[in-house]
Amino acid sequence: MQLIACPWCGPREEVEFSYGGQAHVPYPDAPGELSDEEWAHYVFFRDNPKGRFAERWNHSAGCRRWFNAIRDTATYRFERVYRLDDARPVTS
Amino acid sequence: MTGPFRISEGGRIDRATTLQFTFDGQPYTGHPGDTLASALLAAGRHQVATSIKLGRPRGIAAAWAEDPSGLVQIEEPFPEPMLLATTVELSDGLVAHGVPGQGRLADVPDSARYDAVHHHVDVLVVGAGPAGLAAALTAARSGARVALVDEQSEAGGSLLSGSDVLDGAPALEWVASAVAELAGHPEVLHLQRTTAFGSYDDGFVLALERRTDHLGAAAPRHLSRQRVWRFRASSVVVATGAHERPVVFADNDRPGIMLAGAARTFLHRYGVLPGREAVVATTNDSAYDAALDLHRAGVRVQAVVDARPEGSPRRREECEAAGIPVLPMSVVTGTQGVDRVTHALVAPFADGQVGAAAAIACDLLLVSGGWNPAVHLFSQARGRLRYDEALGAFLPGEQLDGLSVAGSAAGVFDLAGCLADGRRAARAAVAARGIPAADDDRLPVAPEPVVPAAPLVLWRVPDTSAAGGSTQFVDLQRDATVADIARAVGAGLRSIEHVKRYTTIGTAHDQGKTSGILTSGITAELLGTPVRDTGTTTFRPPYTPVAFAALAGRDRGRLFDPERVTALHDWHVAAGAVFEDVGQWKRPRHYPRPGEDMAAAVLRECAAVRTGVGILDGSTLGKIDVQGPDAAVLLDRLYTNLMSSLAVGSVRYGVMCGVDGMVIDDGTVLRLAEDRFLVLTTTGGAAKVLDWMEEWGQTEWPDLRVHCTSVTEQWATFPVVGPRSRDVVGAVFPDVDVSAAAFPFMTWRDTTLAGVPVRLARISFSGELAFEVSVNPWYAVAVWERLLDAGRPYGITPYGTETMHVLRAEKGYPIIGQDTDGTVTPHDLGLAWAVSATKADFVGKRSFARAHNAHPLRKQLVGLLPVDRDTLLPEGSQIVEFAADGQLPPPPVPMLGHVTSSYRSAELGRPFALALVKGGRARIGGTVHVPVNGTLVPVEVTGAVLVDPEGARRDG
Amino acid sequence: MSPRTPGADLPEHPDSLWRNAEPRRSYDVVIVGGGGHGLATAHYLAKNHGITNVAVVEKGWLAGGNMARNTTIIRSNYLWDESSAIYEQALKLWEGLEEDLGYPILFSQRGVLNLAHTLQDVRDSVRRVEANKLNGVDAEWVEPDEVRKICPIVNTSADIRYPVLGATYQPRAGIAKHDYVAWGFARRADEAGIDLIQDCEVTGFATTGNRVTGVHTTRGTIGAGRVALCAAGHTTVLTDMLGIRVPVQSHPLQALVSELLEPVHPTVVMSNAVHVYVSQAHKGELVMGAGVDSFNGFGQRGAFHVIERQMAAAVELFPVFARAHLLRTWAGIVDVSPDASPIVGMTPYDGLYLNCGWGTGGFKATPGIGWALAHTIAHDEPHPSVAPFTLDRFVTGALVDEHGAAAVAH
């Protein structure tokens, strides 16, 4: 069980958080103008890299805030957590 | 004194107290401080069990958890399968027997308690041997918050098994002073009988404390038997020591053959001589200590058989001085004996070749092939291991953040080195936490270490006999031999993981604590590859077995999952309600009167509501307070219909879909103010809908000024339903004009009752005139009872969820999660009217335009009426085409859909059902078949609304 | 000598399993992934289609991924026609597999109980049973007293937190021994001349226009007429190299085992609501699956609180398990699709075939998917049983949504 550093609450137990999948997948500006395929990609398709992944977490049993994280899906290690209004960090 | 092999003094046992126990039906005695193994050995009993496949006698081969051999079943005080005799602390009245292969579970419930504790520390030290104690003292003296855990009954680790000296005194005196000093530090937690069994990310370590097992039947009932400690440590110091490993030779499994270090433990710690005549076979210097100690204790040491070409001149001199013959360049090739070793076969050994063997009589054969650092916790924490050619062992191969390994677990084998290494690790841990080191962290002075002669790495003695390694046991618990490994390699297997699976080595109770490295070594030898390339199988938690119940802890029975009950729960219980689990809630399903079954009770409750008045505890409905200037915008985007146009004081039904266009929840929305809504959700959907609103609000539309808060528990809600509900509500709230004109359908009003705020809403889930009464739960019982009192003249009837379901189904109102399954759109449910055509977008809208959503054979919600007016279709029944011959065709039979809800209707006087049917609306008026218990029931397809389709009743 | 402990040992493996082949320059078919699905596909390519110029390339050791880590439950009582068809096809193959492979795979048709604990569970269960019957799949609804007869150790008392309200029962379902299954397929494939190449990780694909022509590996480039992906949780690692988006997410799924115990548990019990699925394997150990860790992960490990929750559920439903011991925990990587159904068949590339998204259902499908994928490769068109499981369904919306009635199914 990991410690996850909520940007507002600091490091807390993993059980307090829920997972939200890939980050930076914005709701389309005009869904009605998308083709079925484009819409399907928004609804169902998410990246699934082995390694560094920008993803969403919610401190659901704490402050209930959503935030983003850069985490390595192979090691599970969190490299960075950042608020939704922060720009996506540039990672080397 | 207990047993002929117990020496008269020394050791950590209490000879003044005698404990009685039974093993394999025989009575024995022992002392506090004994393990089952030491007590049996004191009695001269070595054989504990027979082996799993071959039925060979098996004894005690080690002194603690690394024993691959002595498995026992506990019968008293409570049956427990598969424990090691070496780790069972003796208690009075213990009854146990050897386990040939399978343990036995008790057939009565385990009444013991188990619990768990979270504990946060700066430094967690695992192991209270010299390195661990040094680490704990160093950290404690700096003022750090420290936990020290150790699996044994007392601290000391390897010092309990020898005669070491510190500061010129017996080392155990220092152990005692160290323990006392730690006890004086308020921020130190010191636990013995506590095994750290799992090591995870970020300093999370799980440990099992055995709190009462050593007390046997005398254990106090109020104490938890075992406790799981969940440690979170800034730094973990792993000082878990090392396990001695054997050398494999023919017939190496007989009782009386044990690791050399284990014999020292039995002697020094338990005051037991494991034999009278010993042969010591070794590849390194450490076994000489066993030979010399046993000699001093009166054991005749027949020979030290040292495989090394050079051996150790110093050690050889010590032995010669004691009159112990040393046979260099020699190995044990095999043994004789049946249920106990009688002879060791000793042969010259040079350049990998074995010469002719001679038998040496012995009743104890001690073996040492070197030491394997106990790297389990390091490896579990994803630490990379490196193979050390000189030691023939895997060592920590990298530095981990927050976890360091100290002492012999890190390959440091001398006492002074272990103390210093423990202190080093603790200083680093404390410094990493930003805590200054103590001014004085002095440690005792150990004698100058003598550099040992180089060990020889020898996995197995070549077997030139016809047996071909088939009696050279690598994994005693699995009866797996060198010959099995050779077969695996011969079959084409190259990966150590394949060899493990082929031979089953390492899969038994000990999870390969001794056999793992032997298998790597022997496999590498057979393949002609380096051991570092063969590698080792993965170390997985737990380090030692842990009872299921210990991990379950308190989360059992009623605490398995929290029960949520409403403010009226006790009233419902007193009224004889039968409850239903809805999510975590307990909801009254119906209120049977004496002699009534559910069907009768529900018919009565339904009739009362449709003809008089009923009252339901609807408090479990989810309630979300949505506030902010943009509250209406958020709801417009999440509901399929328009909420921003809702007038303050009014109520609107709404449907919510996922982005895939499938219905996820429905409910009513009250507009409390321009910037405030109260959203009612389904009971099961409440948490999900709040999550959903917050997710969208925060992640997609952070510009919206809106906040959502669950107020489910802040309101108790009672729908008062039926043609006489106006009379009841009007009587209880005389200041409210409850007339249809003044208080129309789908509006709400606030009022007070005896100064208590109450909200009334004209919402109906039954089609009848209805008022939902909401109040702070503190006043729930009082308001409920006033409503009952006022309703008594009209026969007001409390009703449960079953009646609620019947009434709503008669009106064709779907229950999300019952009449839907995540594949149903609002259009499928006939709720197109609740899907806004004017909104540019809302969540799910785009998905409605996908090709499949326009398919004419989508499943649609319809009503079903069994033609016989009698059959109650089981919910879940499948629907097939009408078969003129009344016979099902052979499978696969095409299915049209299924029955989602099915009830007897008091109003209709017949059973009816709701169903999802392919192209269902086009089939209205047609007949289909429903297979029920092997017969086809003809059923008419109808619209979903069967009662009051005009909606004439809602205003009473 | 004492008699051998009943059931405590297993049939021996044969003296010869497979060659350790070196990769050749090219093959008619290269199968990426030497797990159960890849090995079964290789076997049926040879057996059913006479295609033997085949390599199976495996980045680690054969059958060392989910095949070595699953809880070996085999059943076909799925809700939807498309699902029950493919799993039932597999189950029929399981019933003849020991003979086909000439290997003691220990397929034990001891039946599977899927428990219902809420009224909605009951509705969903009846719905599934009735659908199974109409599809020719053996299934029945059993009341609590029958549950107790089938598996006496299940706690069917009414006073537990979520009482057992009944169960679905599939008598033909059961368990098998996973290593034996994989090695049986591997040995047959090897005998047919198929190269099983281990420690051979695919690092890229060779393409010509819209056709995949080979794989680049840590052991060199291997040409291929056709390439099939049988990489489970690692599928997207491969498809990302080709720019194909596949809607699966990889999650850790943990499992655990107890010590060897005298027989107490005669069947397989699964419960979605209390979240237990457990059988007592051939040697006597309790084999149990835990929940899926929610986050994406390729680490073959999960968090321990998931195991603790699993133990609580196990002891709740099986009080006699209280003093059984957890011996070992581990994790596999499940590739989960949006509708909890697999994705199999053609891809945007000619000569490239996809097989993923099996989630927790992969093991039980092994012979069925091997059969169907071999057909798909041989004929360059989907076998009828996998035709509904196209990648395209996520665009049209014609999903095969097993969430509704199956939740976490194994």
Side-chain angles (χ1 to χ4, degrees):
Chain A
M1 186 161 68
Q2 291 185 274
L3 281 182
I4 299 176
C6 171
W8 286 273
C9 309
R12 309 287 298 185
E13 301 284 344
E14 180 185 330
V15 287
E16 295 181 13
F17 295 83
S18 52
Y19 185 65
Q22 184 178 2
H24 309 295
V25 184
Y27 187 74
D29 286 337
E33 292 167 16
L34 300 184
S35 69
D36 278 357
E37 187 162 356
E38 289 166 333
W39 177 246
H41 276 263
Y42 168 72
V43 175
F44 294 118
F45 289 63
R46 293 293 180 272
D47 292 346
N48 185 39
K50 182 179 185 178
R52 188 173 285 160
F53 192 32
E55 57 191 17
R56 308 184 311 156
W57 287 84
N58 182 4
H59 193 188
S60 46
C63 65
R64 294 193 63 81
R65 296 265 215 155
W66 283 87
F67 59 94
N68 290 332
I70 306 286
R71 188 181 61 97
D72 187 319
T73 61
T75 64
Y76 303 171
R77 191 159 294 280
F78 282 79
E79 294 182 10
R80 198 81 68 83
V81 294
Y82 54 104
R83 291 162 37 153
L84 297 177
D85 52 357
D86 291 335
R88 179 180 184 151
V90 180
T91 45
S92 56
Chain B
M1 192 145 77
T2 51
F5 288 83
R6 183 83 71 182
I7 58 176
S8 57
E9 58 186 31
R12 313 291 295 172
I13 51 166
D14 170 16
R15 288 180 178 75
T17 305
T18 297
L19 305 174
Q20 313 284 332
F21 71 102
T22 304
F23 189 78
D24 276 354
Q26 300 291 314
Y28 293 93
T29 57
H31 299 299
D34 262 327
T35 61
L36 178 56
S38 68
L40 288 172
L41 291 176
R45 176 167 184 148
H46 275 248
Q47 184 181 344
V48 168
T50 51
S51 73
I52 187 163
K53 291 191 200 175
L54 305 173
R56 290 171 66 106
R58 290 286 158 78
I60 292 157
W64 188 251
E66 66 275 25
D67 184 13
S69 185
L71 287 169
V72 299
Q73 165 84 34
I74 306 297
E75 296 293 353
E76 298 284 341
F78 190 88
E80 180 155 8
M82 286 255 185
L83 294 173
L84 285 167
T86 53
T87 63
V88 174
E89 288 189 54
L90 199 65
S91 60
D92 202 45
L94 182 77
V95 178
H97 58 82
V99 173
Q102 294 174 327
R104 187 181 70 78
L105 294 171
D107 48 16
V108 293
D110 178 7
S111 59
R113 289 167 62 117
Y114 301 84
D115 61 15
V117 172
H118 290 261
H119 196 74
H120 292 70
V121 292
D122 297 316
V123 184
L124 169 67
V125 180
V126 182
L133 283 172
L137 280 175
T138 303
R141 287 166 178 171
S142 74
R145 189 170 157 86
V146 177
L148 170 65
V149 300
D150 183 271
E151 59 186 344
Q152 304 281 343
S153 57
E154 59 176 317
S158 61
L159 299 176
L160 294 165
S161 302
S163 48
D164 291 286
V165 169
L166 287 171
D167 282 343
L172 291 181
E173 289 181 17
W174 171 73
V175 171
S177 72
V179 168
E181 182 183 335
L182 290 170
H185 288 283
E187 289 298 316
V188 173
L189 172 74
H190 175 193
L191 299 170
Q192 292 295 144
R193 296 190 174 94
T194 304
T195 305
F197 63 82
S199 171
Y200 290 83
D201 307 82
D202 301 322
F204 189 65
V205 174
L206 289 144
L208 181 76
E209 181 186 10
R210 296 174 300 281
R211 307 180 74 208
T212 65
D213 286 347
H214 60 289
L215 303 174
R221 302 279 304 160
H222 68 281
L223 285 183
S224 62
R225 175 183 175 235
Q226 298 183 342
R227 170 172 287 171
V228 171
W229 287 83
R230 298 172 183 151
F231 289 107
R232 181 71 74 175
S234 300
S235 292
V236 180
V237 177
V238 175
T240 45
H243 297 149
E244 197 167 19
R245 69 166 177 272
V247 175
V248 176
F249 46 80
D251 298 311
N252 57 331
D253 62 329
R254 298 192 199 286
I257 301 174
M258 80 171 52
L259 291 165
R264 293 188 81 207
T265 302
F266 287 118
L267 173 66
H268 291 293
R269 183 167 174 188
Y270 301 108
V272 170
L273 297 180
R276 304 273 187 222
E277 283 189 317
V279 169
V280 179
T282 189
T283 63
N284 65 88
D285 278 11
S286 70
Y288 285 80
D289 289 328
L292 292 161
D293 286 357
L294 289 177
H295 166 76
R296 285 181 206 114
V299 174
R300 178 202 297 271
V301 180
Q302 302 279 49
V304 173
V305 181
D306 193 326
R308 292 175 291 183
E310 301 293 330
S312 167
R314 182 180 65 82
R315 296 306 231 161
R316 184 172 187 158
E317 281 169 24
E318 288 172 9
C319 283
E320 280 170 359
I324 301 172
V326 175
L327 305 177
M329 299 179 76
S330 298
V331 290
V332 170
T333 61
T335 66
Q336 294 171 351
V338 180
D339 50 6
R340 177 81 182 265
V341 65
T342 59
H343 293 82
L345 304 178
V346 177
F349 179 67
D351 302 324
Q353 301 295 310
V354 177
I360 301 178
C362 60
D363 64 356
L364 178 67
L365 172 54
L366 302 185
V367 185
S368 178
W371 293 81
N372 300 325
V375 294
H376 303 70
L377 296 179
F378 172 82
S379 180
Q380 287 175 15
R382 311 315 273 178
R384 200 163 22 82
L385 300 174
R386 96 182 146 78
Y387 180 69
D388 186 297
E389 296 279 352
L391 289 174
F394 287 94
L395 291 176
E398 64 176 324
Q399 294 289 324
L400 293 182
D401 287 344
L403 186 145
S404 60
V405 185
S408 53
V412 177
F413 289 111
D414 69 279
L415 179 52
C418 282
L419 292 168
D421 203 37
R423 177 163 59 187
R424 171 202 59 77
R427 282 177 175 169
V430 166
R433 192 80 178 118
I435 301 172
D439 295 337
D440 175 14
D441 58 2
R442 195 195 83 86
L443 290 172
V445 178
E448 190 66 22
V450 178
V451 178
L456 175 74
V457 175
L458 178 66
W459 310 112
R460 54 136 188 177
V461 173
D463 185 0
T464 54
S465 75
S470 63
T471 65
Q472 292 190 316
F473 289 91
V474 178
D475 186 331
L476 273 65
Q477 285 186 24
R478 294 299 311 153
D479 270 340
T481 65
V482 171
D484 294 323
I485 299 178
R487 276 188 68 227
V489 170
L493 302 182
R494 299 293 175 265
S495 161
I496 193 70
E497 296 282 359
H498 280 150
V499 172
K500 167 184 164 179
R501 286 166 167 75
Y502 189 99
T503 61
T504 73
I505 289 173
T507 62
H509 184 270
D510 70 339
Q511 289 286 294
K513 285 193 180 60
T514 54
S515 59
I517 180 78
L518 294 173
T519 307
S520 295
I522 294 166
T523 302
E525 210 169 276
L526 291 169
L527 289 172
T529 55
V531 177
R532 67 171 179 277
D533 290 353
T534 306
T536 175
T537 56
T538 313
F539 291 92
R540 299 274 187 191
Y543 166 64
T544 50
V546 183
F548 285 15
L551 297 171
R554 299 296 303 280
D555 295 351
R556 295 168 62 179
R558 291 190 63 212
L559 299 180
F560 172 70
D561 202 28
E563 278 177 7
R564 299 176 77 183
V565 296
T566 72
L568 288 173
H569 188 73
D570 292 346
W571 189 95
H572 299 316
V573 172
V578 173
F579 289 90
E580 172 190 6
D581 287 310
V582 182
Q584 292 175 321
W585 290 99
K586 292 284 182 190
R587 297 197 70 179
R589 190 178 182 196
H590 57 101
Y591 299 84
R593 288 181 180 165
E596 274 185 343
D597 60 7
M598 186 176 86
V602 170
L603 284 173
R604 171 180 52 75
E605 291 174 12
C606 285
V609 175
R610 290 258 184 248
T611 60
V613 59
I615 184 167
L616 173 79
D617 184 0
S619 303
T620 63
L621 277 189
K623 304 168 201 83
I624 302 167
D625 194 339
V626 181
Q627 294 192 42
D630 296 317
V633 181
L634 178 71
L635 297 185
D636 273 353
R637 292 180 186 179
L638 294 179
Y639 279 99
T640 59
N641 49 347
L642 205 57
M643 291 297 173
S644 53
S645 62
L646 182 63
V648 174
S650 286
V651 181
R652 186 166 290 167
Y653 173 75
V655 179
M656 208 174 256
C657 290
V659 281
D660 61 358
M662 304 304 158
V663 175
I664 57 173
D665 207 67
D666 72 346
T668 48
V669 176
L670 285 65
R671 190 160 202 169
L672 305 182
E674 272 306 306
D675 61 352
R676 187 170 184 190
F677 294 81
L678 182 68
V679 169
L680 303 184
T681 74
T682 59
T683 296
K688 196 174 59 186
V689 172
L690 178 63
D691 288 349
W692 186 245
M693 290 178 163
E694 290 186 333
E695 176 179 346
W696 285 94
Q698 289 183 38
T699 66
E700 293 296 340
W701 308 310
D703 53 311
L704 296 185
R705 294 157 299 165
V706 56
H707 287 275
C708 308
T709 304
S710 168
V711 292
T712 302
E713 282 87 352
Q714 279 64 36
W715 292 98
T717 300
F718 322 129
V720 181
V721 185
R724 308 310 298 266
S725 58
R726 180 172 285 127
D727 301 302
V728 177
V729 172
V732 175
F733 304 100
D735 54 336
V736 178
D737 181 350
V738 293
S739 68
F743 194 168
F745 185 57
M746 296 303 258
T747 62
W748 60 270
R749 301 281 181 273
D750 276 347
T751 183
T752 58
L753 180 64
V756 174
V758 172
R759 176 168 296 148
L760 303 176
R762 284 279 319 274
I763 301 170
S764 178
F765 195 41
S766 59
E768 299 297 329
L769 174 69
F771 296 80
E772 281 191 8
V773 179
S774 295
V775 66
N776 183 315
W778 288 111
Y779 305 101
V781 175
V783 174
W784 174 268
E785 286 179 343
R786 287 201 191 196
L787 290 164
L788 288 180
D789 287 346
R792 198 153 287 128
Y794 313 104
I796 191 166
T797 301
Y799 67 95
T801 52
E802 193 67 17
T803 293
M804 175 186 83
H805 286 178
V806 177
L807 299 173
R808 63 86 204 176
E810 289 171 339
K811 288 289 294 178
Y813 297 148
I815 299 239
I816 307 308
Q818 175 172 344
D819 300 295
T820 70
D821 61 2
T823 69
V824 178
T825 66
H827 310 84
D828 299 336
L829 291 174
L831 295 175
W833 59 268
V835 177
S836 167
T838 58
K839 282 197 284 187
D841 191 32
F842 54 84
V843 171
K845 179 182 168 86
R846 172 62 185 83
S847 287
F848 296 152
R850 289 186 303 170
H852 197 68
N853 281 60
H855 200 289
L857 290 185
R858 280 195 70 81
K859 290 178 185 166
Q860 294 162 338
L861 188 73
V862 293
L864 298 181
L865 290 170
V867 173
D868 66 5
R869 304 183 66 91
D870 182 51
T871 305
L872 179 66
L873 303 172
E875 289 174 343
S877 295
Q878 293 288 339
I879 298 160
V880 299
E881 287 286 5
F882 185 79
D885 61 357
Q887 299 294 314
L888 268 182
V893 184
M895 285 165 258
L896 301 176
H898 75 286
V899 174
T900 58
S901 300
S902 176
Y903 311 97
R904 292 189 192 280
S905 169
E907 180 78 8
L908 300 172
R910 62 189 294 187
F912 73 104
L914 296 178
L916 287 168
V917 177
K918 284 181 183 168
R921 285 196 282 276
R923 287 178 175 270
I924 289 174
T927 307
V928 293
H929 265 144
V930 175
V932 178
N933 295 328
T935 60
L936 290 179
V937 176
V939 167
E940 184 195 347
V941 181
T942 71
V945 187
L946 291 164
V947 168
D948 186 27
E950 310 77 27
R953 296 179 173 187
R954 71 178 193 207
D955 287 324
Chain C
M1 273 200 219
S2 312
R4 295 151 75 100
T5 306
D9 55 330
L10 297 170
E12 303 228 318
H13 293 288
D15 285 329
S16 175
L17 281 169
W18 53 73
R19 301 161 289 130
N20 285 277
E22 293 295 316
R24 299 208 303 269
R25 287 175 61 98
S26 73
Y27 296 87
D28 292 341
V29 177
V30 169
I31 297 167
V32 182
H37 287 199
L39 294 168
T41 302
H43 168 63
Y44 291 115
L45 272 175
K47 182 185 167 179
N48 294 356
H49 307 283
I51 298 172
T52 57
N53 183 22
V54 176
V56 178
V57 297
E58 165 55 48
K59 74 182 171 70
W61 38 287
L62 286 181
N66 291 348
M67 193 65 180
R69 297 159 196 278
N70 73 89
T71 50
T72 81
I73 297 172
I74 296 164
R75 62 185 179 91
S76 65
N77 56 347
Y78 279 68
L79 172 64
W80 299 107
D81 299 350
E82 298 88 341
S83 306
S84 74
I86 194 166
Y87 287 110
E88 178 61 20
Q89 181 198 12
L91 181 50
K92 290 202 169 76
L93 288 169
W94 279 112
E95 288 171 327
L97 198 57
E98 185 148 324
E99 197 177 343
D100 179 17
L101 299 181
Y103 212 103
I105 61 165
L106 299 174
F107 179 44
S108 163
Q109 291 180 288
R110 57 183 65 188
V112 169
L113 287 167
N114 294 77
L115 303 181
H117 300 271
T118 66
L119 297 176
Q120 190 55 40
D121 276 355
V122 175
R123 294 180 194 107
D124 290 339
S125 299
V126 171
R127 178 186 181 192
R128 186 159 45 77
V129 161
E130 293 299 317
N132 289 158
K133 286 180 182 167
L134 293 170
N135 274 322
V137 173
D138 62 316
E140 53 189 298
W141 167 258
V142 292
E143 298 289 337
D145 58 336
E146 289 171 273
V147 170
R148 195 161 46 238
K149 278 183 207 144
I150 295 166
C151 187
I153 58 172
V154 175
N155 187 352
T156 50
S157 70
D159 59 356
I160 66 172
R161 179 66 182 88
Y162 293 109
V164 175
L165 303 183
T168 71
Y169 185 54
Q170 185 179 24
R172 286 165 63 236
I175 59 173
K177 188 81 177 100
H178 45 12
D179 293 333
Y180 287 62
V181 174
W183 295 3
F185 277 119
R187 189 177 61 147
R188 276 281 184 261
D190 178 80
E191 283 169 359
I194 290 171
D195 285 351
L196 310 178
I197 304 166
Q198 303 182 76
D199 295 316
C200 182
E201 181 168 2
V202 170
T203 55
F205 291 85
T207 56
T208 304
N210 206 39
R211 169 166 284 278
V212 170
T213 58
V215 291
H216 305 303
T217 79
T218 50
R219 298 180 68 175
T221 295
I222 304 172
R226 292 172 185 185
V227 174
L229 305 183
C230 293
H234 279 78
T235 297
T236 54
V237 174
L238 297 168
T239 52
D240 283 354
M241 297 173 189
L242 286 162
I244 303 171
R245 290 197 87 193
V246 178
V248 294
Q249 301 281 294
S250 298
H251 297 282
L253 173 63
Q254 300 185 79
L256 57 99
V257 67
S258 78
E259 72 269 73
L260 309 188
L261 298 165
E262 291 176 9
V264 292
H265 182 21
T267 181
V268 181
V269 171
M270 306 174 58
S271 160
N272 287 342
V274 179
H275 208 285
V276 171
Y277 47 106
V278 60
S279 67
Q280 185 168 18
H282 308 83
K283 288 185 306 200
E285 68 273 37
L286 299 171
V287 179
M288 205 176 287
V292 175
D293 281 70
S294 65
F295 54 80
N296 288 27
F298 293 77
Q300 294 187 329
R301 67 195 175 103
F304 198 75
H305 62 87
V306 176
I307 298 288
E308 290 180 309
R309 189 66 189 152
Q310 181 56 34
M311 294 288 85
V315 179
E316 175 78 355
L317 267 187
F318 299 91
V320 301
F321 289 173
R323 293 202 186 184
H325 297 98
L326 174 69
L327 215 58
R328 186 176 177 87
T329 60
W330 65 89
I333 309 169
V334 293
D335 43 327
V336 178
S337 73
D339 59 359
S341 286
I343 305 170
V344 184
M346 320 303 279
T347 69
Y349 280 87
D350 294 336
L352 181 75
Y353 308 91
L354 191 59
N355 170 39
C356 65
W358 288 92
T360 58
F363 177 76
K364 64 180 69 71
T366 300
I369 188 58
W371 183 286
L373 189 60
H375 175 106
T376 304
I377 296 165
H379 295 279
D380 193 33
E381 66 176 28
H383 183 272
S385 70
V386 297
F389 297 104
T390 61
L391 186 54
D392 186 51
R393 72 181 187 270
F394 299 101
V395 175
T396 65
L399 306 186
V400 186
D401 201 327
E402 283 290 338
H403 287 119
V408 183
H410 303 273

